[in-house]
Structures are given as C-alpha cells and as structure tokens.
Amino acid sequence: MASQHHSLPDRDISEALGERIRHADAEGTPLRIVGGDTKAFHGRPVAGEPLSTREHCGITRYDPVELIVSVRAGTPLAELEARLDEQGQRLPFEPPHFGDTATVGGMVASGLSGPRRPWAGSVRDFVLGIRLIDRHGESLRFGGEVMKNVAGYDLSRLMVGAQGSLGLLAEVSLKVLPKPAAQRSLRLEIPLAEARRHLVEWGQQPLPITAATWFDGALHIRLEGGPGSVEATGQRLGGDALDDAFWASLREQRLDFFTRQDDPRSLWRLSLPQQAPAPELEDVDEATMLHDWAGAQRWLRSAAPDESVHAEAVRLGGHATRWTAGTNSPFTPLSPVLAKYHRRLKAELDPNGIFNPGRLYAEL
C-alpha cells in the first residue's frame, strides 16, 4: 500500500519536479535538492534554489516473499522501516537517520550505513534499481528488481553516495532481509590490542557477530541469528550484558563520544583497512578514538588541518571525512584518475551543473 502524504497523483508530482528541472537546466540555475535535510552537514554547502522531494513519497510496491520493496525518494525512512518491521523484515545495512525527517532519498544519496555494514553489506549492495529524473525532466529507469551484473555504468549504484549531484533520485527498489530470531549484545572490558586480536580470530570463524565497536576501554559486540547459535556464542565470548539499544545510539551518534561539547576539535570519520596502525596526528590518542566496524571505521577528534588528516588517511590506505561542518574540503581529494572519471560522468549527466553543484567537490 502506498503512503497518503500527498494529494497530487505521483505522475503529477513527477511532472512538476521535471518541469522545474527543465527550466533550471535551460537557465543554468543551480538546484539544492532537499529531502529531510538531516544530513545537510555531510558534504559541502550548496548554493541553489531548494528543490524538495518530500511530496514525492509512498511505498509503491512491497513483496515480502520476494524480499523486494520499491519506494519513492521523499518517503520518511522511519515509515519504510515500520512497514518492513510489520513483516519481520529490515534494511540490513542499518542506515542512520540523524533526525525524525530523514528520507529514503537522503539515505541513498548519502550512502551511509550503520554498525552492521561489514557483515551485511552497504546501501549500494542492496539497491536493485532506481528511477531518475534527468536534466531534461524525463523519468528514466535503471536496473531492475533482480540483482544483475551489468557492463558499463550501473547508474543505480552510482547514485548511492553521489549526494544528488547526478540527477534527482525519484524512486528506488531495494532488497530487504528477514530480522534474526535472536539478538544479544555484550560488553568486554579489554584493551584495544587484545580486542583487535580477538576480532581477527573471531573473523575467521562462523560466529554470528554483526557489530563490533571498541571505545572507552571496552569491546562492544552484537550477536544475531538463531537462538542456539547466539546463546552458545554469547557463553563462549563472555563479558557483561549490554543493552541492545546501544547500537541505535551508536548509529545515530547519540553517545557521549559524539555529543560532548567540551572538545572544540573537529570530528573525523576515517575508513581504513581493519589492521591499519593508528593515525599519526599530534593531538590524537588511539585510546580516545572510537573504533567501529571491527576497526575499519574510526572516529577521532583533531585540530589538525584538513589536508593533514586527509593525507594521513591516504597513507594508511583509506580516506577521511570531516564530520564537523564549516570546511570546504570535507572529503579526501580524489586521485587524478578518479577525478577525471568524476568530471566525465558529471559532464555527461549534468553538463550545466544544476544538480547540487559543489556538494562533493568544488569542481563537481
């Protein structure tokens, strides 16, 4: 059943959005695409006329047996998750909301995933197809409702994390999965080095671990799966019981690590190889960092220049994103080869630069 948040038929709303985009492209008017605006901090600020997707909402198709849902971009993310929950299903990649108004379009555009990402996959892994409104105001469909390998550009996947810079995402089809029969969370008070050793060892075994985060002197583990497997693994790993609500607090960045106001340094997210050494930044102590994704996602605070943090992340084999707003370079600069492909793709799909210009990089 589709949502009833709007009074205009979907076709009329799509045509109205398309008409605005056609005019903007003809006049070279930049557009700032807005859903729930809960992730406006993620990326560079965009100067342009707001183009809201909120009226373009509703679940257009849901097949619980086939584990497929199609939903319009302006649909509240909470509404989609509630609908899936009724059928005992969920979005496996655990997307953060960062506010009550988060939309499905923002989820795809930002490409952000929660603590389960290394074990379940990312947003991109579960996108089956999209409907895109291009610069001509036309609705184009890419992909389908079955996972396929395709040659050339897979635009349905490219839209994930593109921050609305390639066109207006109108609708997305997603693969969903059943919720597990059992869940259990544990807290093991152990040093970081010991936690790393355990995670490497456990990662080579068929254990039902779906989250692993170390901070504040303890390793936090989530187990999900069959009741017998979860119970046996919990007894084997030991530790203290942890409230399952911890993971939502981590995902939504409500933990004290993220919310404290007494540290004026910028918050950074580093995506690194799991066994990469600690970043060499003067004001960073590894023991005060938050290590998520079994060590592959690391959060830290630093007053170092943006260029220094980006360079250090690249040296360690990954990339860094400044989470604190107020910078012109939140993302690690692209290599010359990647930059060339990004410019080519942008020129092909948005030659007049009307879709969220500069959101990712100044030249895009």
Side-chain angles (χ1 to χ4, degrees):
M1 184 196 317
S3 301
Q4 302 298 319
H5 286 189
H6 54 74
S7 55
L8 289 174
D10 171 54
R11 181 177 177 181
D12 291 349
I13 294 176
S14 291
E15 289 181 352
L17 290 170
E19 185 65 21
R20 279 205 59 191
I21 290 171
R22 273 194 298 274
H23 281 299
D25 188 67
E27 299 171 3
T29 303
L31 296 173
R32 183 173 71 90
I33 301 172
V34 182
D37 222 19
T38 64
K39 302 175 183 69
F41 68 90
H42 186 56
R44 303 175 75 255
V46 174
E49 292 184 1
L51 180 66
S52 175
T53 65
R54 292 303 295 273
E55 290 296 307
H56 193 56
C57 59
I59 298 171
T60 58
R61 178 174 181 260
Y62 179 29
D63 190 333
V65 176
E66 294 295 328
L67 301 174
I68 292 171
V69 65
S70 296
V71 57
R72 297 185 188 115
T75 307
L77 182 53
E79 178 182 317
L80 172 60
E81 291 180 326
R83 181 72 183 281
L84 296 176
D85 188 63
E86 292 174 359
Q87 298 294 325
Q89 297 177 352
R90 68 185 181 189
L91 298 171
F93 45 87
E94 208 171 359
H97 293 220
F98 298 143
D100 296 338
T101 58
T103 63
V104 171
M107 172 192 79
V108 175
S110 67
L112 299 175
S113 302
R116 196 179 293 111
R117 187 253 183 269
W119 292 270
S122 66
V123 181
R124 183 177 285 107
D125 296 320
F126 289 88
V127 170
L128 301 175
I130 64 161
R131 180 163 60 87
L132 175 76
I133 300 180
D134 70 0
R135 70 187 186 94
H136 302 295
E138 298 178 0
S139 286
L140 308 174
R141 290 191 180 274
F142 297 90
E145 294 184 342
V146 178
M147 287 284 193
K148 293 179 180 177
N149 292 320
V150 296
Y153 286 135
D154 182 353
L155 201 59
S156 60
R157 304 291 180 86
L158 286 174
M159 290 295 288
V160 181
Q163 300 271 35
S165 62
L166 301 177
L168 180 67
L169 179 69
E171 190 173 339
V172 60
S173 295
L174 299 160
K175 182 80 170 180
V176 299
L177 290 179
K179 300 178 75 173
Q183 176 176 322
R184 182 173 178 179
S185 299
L186 304 169
R187 183 181 186 276
L188 290 72
E189 197 159 332
I190 55 177
L192 177 58
E194 184 179 346
R196 280 179 167 164
R197 288 196 298 271
H198 281 314
L199 290 171
V200 170
E201 174 191 344
W202 296 338
Q204 298 170 349
Q205 303 171 31
L207 301 180
I209 296 175
T210 63
T213 302
W214 187 94
F215 83 106
D216 198 21
L219 177 61
H220 304 69
I221 294 285
R222 180 175 59 196
L223 308 174
E224 292 180 317
S229 176
V230 167
E231 176 65 23
T233 304
Q235 291 182 2
R236 173 185 166 185
L237 301 188
D240 301 319
L242 174 68
D243 190 336
D244 289 333
F246 168 84
W247 303 106
S249 296
L250 171 63
R251 181 193 71 211
E252 300 300 331
Q253 299 187 351
R254 293 192 294 258
L255 299 176
D256 290 343
F257 178 90
F258 298 103
T259 61
R260 62 179 182 236
Q261 303 296 317
D262 59 344
D263 192 335
R265 298 177 297 172
S266 296
L267 178 66
W268 286 87
R269 169 191 180 268
L270 273 61
S271 180
L272 303 173
Q274 183 181 7
Q275 294 303 310
E280 294 181 5
L281 297 167
E282 287 187 3
D283 60 347
V284 173
D285 179 356
E286 191 172 42
T288 63
M289 295 167 58
L290 187 150
H291 302 245
D292 197 10
W293 295 1
Q297 179 174 243
R298 304 184 199 178
W299 296 90
L300 59 86
R301 292 183 182 276
S302 176
D306 294 354
E307 298 82 1
S308 299
V309 183
H310 288 310
E312 181 61 6
V314 171
R315 185 185 73 84
L316 295 174
H319 56 85
T321 301
R322 178 168 147 163
W323 219 247
T324 303
T327 178
N328 285 323
S329 56
F331 303 115
T332 298
L334 298 170
S335 68
V337 173
L338 280 178
K340 179 183 72 173
Y341 283 117
H342 274 253
R343 287 194 299 270
R344 184 179 298 174
L345 184 62
K346 179 72 170 176
E348 180 71 24
L349 297 176
D350 184 24
N352 294 325
I354 65 166
F355 293 115
N356 277 2
R359 181 66 186 266
L360 292 172
Y361 297 96
E363 65 274 21
L364 299 174

